[in-house]
Amino acid sequence: MASTRDWFETVAEAQRRAKKRLPRGVYLALVAGAEAGVTMDDNVAAFGELRFRPHIADLPAERSLATTVMGQDVSMPVLISPTGVQAVHPDGELAVARAARDAGVAMGLSSFASKPVEQVGKEIDQLLFQSYWVGSRDDILARAERARAAGAKGLIVTLDWVFDSRRDWGSPWIPERLDVPAMLRYAPQVVHKPNYLWTWLRSGHLPDLGVPNLGSRDAAVPTFFGAYGQWMGSPQPTWDDLAWLREQWGGPFMVKGITRADDARRAVDIGATAISVSNHGGNNLDSTPASIRNLPGVADAVGDQIEVLLDGGVRRGSDVVKALALGAKAVMIGRAYLWGMAAGGQRGVTNVLEILRQGVSETLLGLGKSSVHEVNRDDVIVPAGFALDLKA
């Protein structure tokens, strides 16, 4: 179908609509990458270096996209990656949860989310809770148990992050809280985005920059930067810490942020269910290669001992299939659904998921595959030097 006011055909169009609708500072927060953005740009560009080897006859009339990830049966190999405070729309993570539920995909909810896990858990059954290593072991376990009580089926520990907010083009200003000085500073941007302003006015409240999932359910809600400060002040985890948390949690457990074969093998050693090959969307150490470049080496290092996912740069259904061909069981998306939500709320997130679903199905058809489980490396042409040697 052609694009309409309420429907867009590509993730790129969702991004254009998001840029048109959002205040400049909010939009820049979505597209920011560390330092020069080398990794962020490579995450997307690297997919274009891979080529398909299609078939032309005996193509399957029907294609199955269903798979299982972290114990969850999902309708396609696409999961919602956890992202922090979502000020692009008043419904935030609740809109994402409803869209994911309706699409039959699992959702990762950030511990830095703007909506309490208890509210989100009421909207979707296939919920995975994400935590950074913030606070003591007791703090981290209490956070995980709170999520379990709210319905979380799996735990994601995100480790692909350094505390670097520098951008060569400058970082957007993000207020500690939306007090009068902050609103006055943002007013020149917001006044030029009447649709964004009207959406928030209709909701009856202003963007909430609190982080309600970091502490206990009844604890005072820290601000985003208050939570960030706690994070920066926490000792970095050891593999023994991660093994302890995996054992305490006892259910599906993902280590997010793998880029090396040796780290992937350590995740296997501690009994993790899954790993995500990820560089935090280009917001980790800049000049780290694109996630898709690291994927084959990581997948070869661990074989079928652990589920391997990819996070970073996915914009099309064909990108999903390329990741599957190089060893991923599924992918996780971040900016794509945030742009969709900015463009159209819950409907926009649904729109993005449907774009990916159709793209995966069409790519399977071209490759002559009847299932996502049939995709393999013979289906893609990988240029020399693309896949990094991660044997060490």
Side-chain angles (χ1 to χ4, degrees), residues 69-70 72-76 78-84 86 91-117 119-131 147 150-156 213 254 309 311 331-334 337-338 341 349 353:
V69 181
M70 291 186 71
Q72 302 302 302
D73 294 329
V74 291
S75 67
M76 61 175 170
V78 176
L79 282 70
I80 296 294
S81 191
T83 60
Q86 297 177 2
D91 291 341
E93 293 84 2
L94 299 180
V96 178
R98 294 165 189 149
R101 176 199 63 205
D102 294 346
V105 301
M107 174 188 178
L109 176 70
S110 175
S111 55
F112 276 36
S114 61
K115 303 294 184 183
V117 62
Q119 291 184 19
V120 179
K122 292 178 181 178
E123 301 292 344
I124 184 170
D125 183 58
Q126 294 176 304
L127 181 65
L128 309 173
F129 184 74
Q130 176 271 348
S131 180
K153 304 300 191 297
L155 185 64
I156 301 170
N213 294 320
M254 178 192 292
L309 286 81
D311 190 327
V331 305
M332 304 177 77
I333 61 168
Y337 77 80
L338 291 174
M341 181 163 56
V349 181
L353 292 172

Side-chain angles (χ1 to χ4, degrees), residues 133-196:
W133 199 267
V134 181
S136 66
R137 279 187 171 190
D138 288 344
D139 294 332
I140 294 163
L141 182 58
R143 192 176 307 130
E145 292 299 344
R146 175 186 169 190
R148 193 201 304 271
K153 304 300 191 297
L155 185 64
I156 301 170
V157 181
T158 298
L159 302 175
D160 52 338
W161 179 264
V162 292
F163 302 107
D164 180 5
S165 60
R166 293 181 298 276
R167 311 283 184 263
D168 282 12
W169 42 266
S171 298
W173 179 73
I174 301 174
E176 173 77 6
R177 56 180 58 84
L178 280 181
D179 53 16
V180 172
M183 287 188 282
L184 289 174
R185 183 166 177 174
Y186 254 93
Q189 296 183 37
V190 175
V191 74
H192 294 293
K193 304 294 182 178
N195 289 335
Y196 176 83

